[in-house]
């Protein structure tokens, strides 16, 4: 109708996207914080997040030395894994709030199986904090090695988004 502004929401035409690490591999120093591993999410400005999964490919001896968290432009410091799996090495996993078992329930996490956040400081529904948010911008994966003697690297990680 002339004179009326159409304020209806624009439909999201993108259903799913996956965004890979921009600067991987990133070294994880022994007893220190690794430089941020970054993912740039773009292209769905009219969309909201319905679900987020985080795919991790980390090379590190003694998984129990490290904590891993992720931040988006709108949500900070969601702990994905905290000091899991004792002396087991490396992890390849998909962190998914809808999974049946937490990170650390199978050690080490391999084969990119799906797990909820787990370990010290993690909350099973942590990734749900990203729901209904605009995901565009820089996402940060932070890895903190809390014990000296072992180092590693973030070989890769991705933000896998389903939109509403």
């Amino acid at each position: 109708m002339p004179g009326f502004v159409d304020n209806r929401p624009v439909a999201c035409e993108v259903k799913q996207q996956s965004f890979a690490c921009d600067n991987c591999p990133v070294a994880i120093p022994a007893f220190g914080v690794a430089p941020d591993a970054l993912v740039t999410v773009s292209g769905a400005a009219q969309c909201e997040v319905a679900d987020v999964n985080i795919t991790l490919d980390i090379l590190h001896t003694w998984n129990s030395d490290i904590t891993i968290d992720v931040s988006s432009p709108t949500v900070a410091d969601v702990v994905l894994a905290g000091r899991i799996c004792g002396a087991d090495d490396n992890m390849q996993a998909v962190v998914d709030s809808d999974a049946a078992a937490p990170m650390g329930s199978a050690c080490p996490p391999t084969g990119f199986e799906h797990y909820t956040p787990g370990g010290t400081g993690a909350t099973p529904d942590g990734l749900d904090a990203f729901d209904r948010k605009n995901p565009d911008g820089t996402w940060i994966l932070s890895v903190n090695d809390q014990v000296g003697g072992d180092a590693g690297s973030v070989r890769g990680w991705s933000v896998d988004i389903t939109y509403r």
Side-chain angles (χ1 to χ4, degrees), residues 93-119:
V94 178
V95 186
D96 175 355
S97 289
D98 300 322
M103 288 284 285
S105 60
C107 291
T110 59
F112 297 103
E113 297 294 327
H114 287 242
Y115 301 97
T116 60

Side-chain angles (χ1 to χ4, degrees), residues 14-22 24 37-45 49 52-55 135-139 156-163:
V14 180
K15 298 303 176 207
Q16 291 183 315
Q17 287 182 307
S18 184
F19 300 91
C21 182
D22 297 332
C24 289
L38 307 175
V39 168
T40 303
V41 173
S42 64
V49 171
V52 169
N53 293 339
I54 303 295
T55 301
D136 282 1
T138 301
W139 289 57
W157 77 286
S158 66
V159 178
D160 310 310
I161 302 172
T162 302
Y163 296 100

